[in-house]
Amino acid sequence: MASKQFNYKNWLIGAVLAFVGMAIYSPSIGYDYVYDDDAVIKENRFVKEGLDGLGKIWTTSYFRGYDETMNARAYRPAPLTTLAAEVEFFGLNPTANHAFNVLFYGLTGLFLYLFLSKLLRDFHPALPIFTCLLFLLHPIHVEVVANIKSRDTMLGFLGFCISAWLLLKHLDSRRWLPLALSVVFFFIGLFSKEEVLTTVAVIPLMLWFFRKYGMGKIAFATLPFVGAAVIYLVIRTSVIGGLNEGVPLTEFDNSLLGAKNFGERSASTILVLGHFLLKTVFPHPLISSYSWLTLPLVNWDDWRVYLSLLASSGLLAVGIIGLKNRKLYGFATLYYFCTVSIFTSILVHNVSAYDERFLYSPVLGVCLLAAWLILKLGKTGEEKPATAALFFKLNFVPVAILALLCSASFFKIMSRMPYWKDRYALFQEDARQAPNNAQLRKNHGGSLSRLAVQYQKENPDLARQYATQAVQELEAALSIYPKMPTGHIHLGISRLILHDFEGAEQSLKTALEQDPSNHFAKVNLAQVYYQKGRYQEGIALLESVDRQYRSQNAYYLLSLLYERIGDVNKTQEYRQLSGR
């Protein structure tokens, strides 16, 4: 009876934490699609097919449904499956997608608590509560919850939490069903995002620190998850190839690749490690991209490199000391290093030097360490471990510190989250925060260009204002990093709206020089040729676009071009295809 009561209390506490997580992020339910949401749902052909697209989702790379030519080194069918199911039942509906993101975050709060309460059974019962509150209110999570695309990160971590909880249930009860379910949820985590592979190292650490098992028993308990990881990697390789196969990475995405020599590369990498730690403990400011050149390339004459090296090596030393003595602080720090390792570009170049979503899982280690330190200030008594309720009643200092940290985090979340409501608000704010970031400046200019297109017919004056602002922003972005085809396309479109046909032609030709198969550049350049009376060139350009990429507007433009040269049959054919 006591056991059932204990479980009841755990589920009740977990449900309260789930409600806290969902309540905080409930305003995001009304937000629009932003950033890579286009790639994973809004413009993803496979996802938009609903349940009929599952076969393609599970047999192709992550972004293949968005762009056949995009050979991204990502295989994440689980989050795309959830999005396809939402399309099947709710249509293309950002409100539904955001609502499920909030729900999954609530489930994360629930199962994270169930996992930690079981893992930390020999510690004060307030420890898992403190840890969960610090995690759920960590501002670094804003991007993951408010951005539909980042559901892959959330589901990966949720899959691990459920899997670890069930593994502990199996080990504590010796029942085999929890182990089978544990492996199933571990697979779900793996098929959500590759970073879950790092938790294969976390599982033996859990058992070493908190179950005091010997090495043989730890290895045996870890074996099913090693097997699951191997199976996942075999499937992943069969679908998308090797780790880096066919994937061109440039300094635009990962600024570390722009280092001129080993000294600059090594110093810059260490500085980035310090950036990871800094954002973990002080998440301000927050921006949606850290591509070229937000994180500077430095050498060994920069004092920040040594500070970063000292902080990272010092924390790692704490982990190693704790490993030897089986202390909680050792697990917390080693968990952080294990889960962040895949993003550090030390052994394998990551797609980006740093992004906020990379810290979604690793901050749990820091939250656990912080909660443990706060509890050290408490008065738990010498008798049987106090209940969490009694602790909150009698220990003002720890509760006050927790309340202060949670309040500061809450206000940071509330100040950052509204910028994720749409692409215009997000890119405008982030371009202001990071004026030397080429991608953010390009994204802001692109959002202004979209607005110019949107208002071109109903309010031409407003459209020209947006186009003028877009040209200024895009020119600034391209001056920082000129090799951005989409930047040149948006610049060409904006110049076209401003009737700067020469400038538009130059921009769109530059885009095609950098990306010869880009159908957006071809269609817009054909529009320029139409305006300049170069009809045959426009026809040749549009006819070179594969039919699967021709929009109704492209067909209508083709009909106008053929009409100008007197080809009645082609004019009628393409006019019908345009739906006009």
Side-chain angles (χ1 to χ4, degrees), residues 193-212:
K193 200 169 184 184
E194 296 81 355
E195 66 187 79
V196 178
L197 285 167
T198 62
T199 62
V200 174
V202 172
I203 291 171
L205 289 176
M206 288 165 33
L207 305 182
W208 170 262
F209 281 96
F210 303 111
R211 289 301 182 268
K212 306 298 188 292

Short mmCIF file of all heavy atoms in Angstrom, two decimals, residues 193-212:
data_model
loop_
_atom_site.label_atom_id
_atom_site.label_comp_id
_atom_site.label_asym_id
_atom_site.label_seq_id
_atom_site.Cartn_x
_atom_site.Cartn_y
_atom_site.Cartn_z
N LYS A 193 16.32 12.10 -33.07
CA LYS A 193 17.52 12.91 -33.32
C LYS A 193 18.78 12.15 -32.93
O LYS A 193 18.79 11.44 -31.92
CB LYS A 193 17.46 14.25 -32.58
CG LYS A 193 18.40 15.28 -33.18
CD LYS A 193 18.17 16.67 -32.64
CE LYS A 193 19.06 17.68 -33.35
NZ LYS A 193 18.93 19.03 -32.78
N GLU A 194 19.81 12.35 -33.73
CA GLU A 194 21.05 11.60 -33.58
C GLU A 194 21.73 11.81 -32.23
O GLU A 194 22.47 10.94 -31.77
CB GLU A 194 22.03 11.96 -34.70
CG GLU A 194 21.58 11.60 -36.09
CD GLU A 194 20.61 12.59 -36.73
OE1 GLU A 194 20.19 13.56 -36.02
OE2 GLU A 194 20.25 12.41 -37.90
N GLU A 195 21.52 12.92 -31.59
CA GLU A 195 22.21 13.23 -30.35
C GLU A 195 21.91 12.24 -29.24
O GLU A 195 22.66 12.14 -28.26
CB GLU A 195 21.87 14.65 -29.88
CG GLU A 195 20.43 14.83 -29.47
CD GLU A 195 20.09 16.29 -29.17
OE1 GLU A 195 19.87 17.05 -30.11
OE2 GLU A 195 20.04 16.63 -27.98
N VAL A 196 20.80 11.50 -29.36
CA VAL A 196 20.45 10.51 -28.34
C VAL A 196 21.51 9.41 -28.27
O VAL A 196 21.61 8.71 -27.25
CB VAL A 196 19.04 9.93 -28.62
CG1 VAL A 196 18.65 8.86 -27.62
CG2 VAL A 196 18.01 11.05 -28.60
N LEU A 197 22.32 9.25 -29.30
CA LEU A 197 23.41 8.28 -29.26
C LEU A 197 24.33 8.51 -28.07
O LEU A 197 24.90 7.56 -27.51
CB LEU A 197 24.22 8.34 -30.56
CG LEU A 197 23.58 7.72 -31.82
CD1 LEU A 197 24.36 8.14 -33.05
CD2 LEU A 197 23.53 6.21 -31.70
N THR A 198 24.49 9.77 -27.67
CA THR A 198 25.40 10.07 -26.56
C THR A 198 24.90 9.50 -25.24
O THR A 198 25.69 9.28 -24.32
CB THR A 198 25.58 11.59 -26.40
OG1 THR A 198 24.33 12.20 -26.08
CG2 THR A 198 26.14 12.21 -27.68
N THR A 199 23.61 9.21 -25.14
CA THR A 199 23.08 8.70 -23.88
C THR A 199 23.44 7.23 -23.65
O THR A 199 23.22 6.71 -22.56
CB THR A 199 21.55 8.87 -23.81
OG1 THR A 199 20.93 8.12 -24.87
CG2 THR A 199 21.17 10.33 -23.93
N VAL A 200 23.99 6.58 -24.69
CA VAL A 200 24.52 5.23 -24.48
C VAL A 200 25.63 5.28 -23.43
O VAL A 200 25.83 4.32 -22.67
CB VAL A 200 25.04 4.64 -25.80
CG1 VAL A 200 25.73 3.29 -25.56
CG2 VAL A 200 23.89 4.45 -26.79
N ALA A 201 26.34 6.39 -23.37
CA ALA A 201 27.37 6.57 -22.34
C ALA A 201 26.77 7.00 -21.01
O ALA A 201 27.37 6.77 -19.95
CB ALA A 201 28.40 7.61 -22.81
N VAL A 202 25.59 7.63 -21.04
CA VAL A 202 24.96 8.08 -19.80
C VAL A 202 24.40 6.91 -19.00
O VAL A 202 24.46 6.92 -17.76
CB VAL A 202 23.83 9.09 -20.12
CG1 VAL A 202 23.03 9.44 -18.87
CG2 VAL A 202 24.41 10.36 -20.75
N ILE A 203 23.89 5.90 -19.68
CA ILE A 203 23.26 4.78 -18.98
C ILE A 203 24.21 4.08 -18.01
O ILE A 203 23.87 3.88 -16.83
CB ILE A 203 22.66 3.79 -20.01
CG1 ILE A 203 21.45 4.44 -20.70
CG2 ILE A 203 22.24 2.48 -19.33
CD1 ILE A 203 20.91 3.67 -21.88
N PRO A 204 25.42 3.70 -18.44
CA PRO A 204 26.32 3.09 -17.44
C PRO A 204 26.72 4.05 -16.33
O PRO A 204 26.94 3.62 -15.18
CB PRO A 204 27.54 2.67 -18.27
CG PRO A 204 27.45 3.44 -19.54
CD PRO A 204 26.00 3.66 -19.79
N LEU A 205 26.80 5.34 -16.64
CA LEU A 205 27.10 6.31 -15.59
C LEU A 205 25.99 6.34 -14.54
O LEU A 205 26.25 6.43 -13.33
CB LEU A 205 27.28 7.70 -16.20
CG LEU A 205 28.55 7.93 -17.02
CD1 LEU A 205 28.53 9.32 -17.65
CD2 LEU A 205 29.79 7.75 -16.16
N MET A 206 24.74 6.27 -14.99
CA MET A 206 23.61 6.23 -14.05
C MET A 206 23.76 5.07 -13.07
O MET A 206 23.57 5.22 -11.85
CB MET A 206 22.29 6.05 -14.83
CG MET A 206 21.81 7.24 -15.61
SD MET A 206 20.51 6.79 -16.81
CE MET A 206 19.66 5.46 -15.98
N LEU A 207 24.08 3.91 -13.61
CA LEU A 207 24.15 2.72 -12.77
C LEU A 207 25.39 2.72 -11.88
O LEU A 207 25.36 2.17 -10.77
CB LEU A 207 24.13 1.47 -13.67
CG LEU A 207 22.94 1.39 -14.63
CD1 LEU A 207 22.99 0.11 -15.44
CD2 LEU A 207 21.62 1.49 -13.88
N TRP A 208 26.46 3.32 -12.33
CA TRP A 208 27.67 3.41 -11.52
C TRP A 208 27.46 4.34 -10.32
O TRP A 208 27.84 4.03 -9.20
CB TRP A 208 28.82 3.90 -12.38
CG TRP A 208 30.07 4.26 -11.62
CD1 TRP A 208 30.47 5.50 -11.21
CD2 TRP A 208 31.06 3.36 -11.14
NE1 TRP A 208 31.65 5.45 -10.51
CE2 TRP A 208 32.04 4.14 -10.44
CE3 TRP A 208 31.22 1.97 -11.19
CZ2 TRP A 208 33.16 3.56 -9.86
CZ3 TRP A 208 32.34 1.40 -10.61
CH2 TRP A 208 33.30 2.20 -9.94
N PHE A 209 26.83 5.49 -10.59
CA PHE A 209 26.70 6.50 -9.54
C PHE A 209 25.54 6.21 -8.58
O PHE A 209 25.66 6.46 -7.37
CB PHE A 209 26.48 7.88 -10.16
CG PHE A 209 27.74 8.54 -10.66
CD1 PHE A 209 28.10 8.45 -11.99
CD2 PHE A 209 28.56 9.23 -9.80
CE1 PHE A 209 29.25 9.05 -12.46
CE2 PHE A 209 29.73 9.84 -10.25
CZ PHE A 209 30.07 9.75 -11.59
N PHE A 210 24.43 5.68 -9.09
CA PHE A 210 23.22 5.65 -8.27
C PHE A 210 22.68 4.25 -7.94
O PHE A 210 21.71 4.13 -7.22
CB PHE A 210 22.12 6.47 -8.95
CG PHE A 210 22.52 7.89 -9.21
CD1 PHE A 210 22.73 8.34 -10.50
CD2 PHE A 210 22.73 8.77 -8.15
CE1 PHE A 210 23.12 9.66 -10.74
CE2 PHE A 210 23.11 10.08 -8.38
CZ PHE A 210 23.31 10.53 -9.68
N ARG A 211 23.30 3.22 -8.51
CA ARG A 211 22.90 1.86 -8.13
C ARG A 211 24.08 1.05 -7.59
O ARG A 211 23.92 -0.08 -7.17
CB ARG A 211 22.26 1.14 -9.33
CG ARG A 211 20.88 1.67 -9.70
CD ARG A 211 19.90 1.53 -8.56
NE ARG A 211 18.56 1.99 -8.92
CZ ARG A 211 18.12 3.23 -8.73
NH1 ARG A 211 18.92 4.15 -8.20
NH2 ARG A 211 16.88 3.56 -9.06
N LYS A 212 25.27 1.62 -7.65
CA LYS A 212 26.47 1.00 -7.07
C LYS A 212 26.72 -0.40 -7.63
O LYS A 212 27.21 -1.30 -6.93
CB LYS A 212 26.37 0.94 -5.54
CG LYS A 212 26.08 2.28 -4.87
CD LYS A 212 27.16 3.30 -5.13
CE LYS A 212 26.97 4.56 -4.29
NZ LYS A 212 25.81 5.36 -4.67
#
